[in-house]
Amino acid sequence: MRISLLPPKRRADFLFANFDDDTILYHPEWMTAFALNATAFSIWQLCDGERTIAQMVELLQDVYPEEAATVSEQVEATV
């Protein structure tokens, strides 16, 4: 796996819609959709090109203290 040292930035060409507890990301050109749970959507929102993965992990550990032990793995897998 290739890991970038640059802060991750979400692609602007994805559309999204919220359905109950999930969010659907859709790329119209690729005709591809991804279902994200609340944690994955939070990670996607934090990918602003400003925050590092370490900063994202720290923020999410505060928001989801019950998942603090696995947040780092979740962020890396999602990014």
Side-chain angles (χ1 to χ4, degrees):
M1 172 176 23
R2 184 176 158 245
I3 297 178
S4 173
L5 298 178
L6 298 174
K9 185 173 183 178
R10 64 184 172 269
R11 293 181 57 120
D13 52 351
F14 273 88
L15 306 173
F16 72 94
N18 294 315
F19 296 99
D20 296 324
D21 294 333
D22 293 327
T23 299
I24 304 298
L25 290 183
Y26 177 71
H27 193 281
E29 184 178 324
W30 302 339
M31 296 190 329
T32 303
F34 302 93
L36 305 179
N37 63 20
T39 306
F41 183 61
S42 295
I43 294 167
W44 184 74
Q45 289 181 302
L46 291 172
C47 291
D48 60 3
E50 301 283 326
R51 293 179 181 95
T52 65
I53 289 177
Q55 290 169 322
M56 292 167 57
V57 167
E58 187 176 318
L59 287 169
L60 290 168
Q61 286 174 329
D62 290 341
V63 175
Y64 301 102
E66 67 282 358
E67 297 181 39
T70 61
V71 166
S72 180
E73 293 171 9
Q74 291 179 41
V75 171
E76 289 183 29
T78 301
V79 172

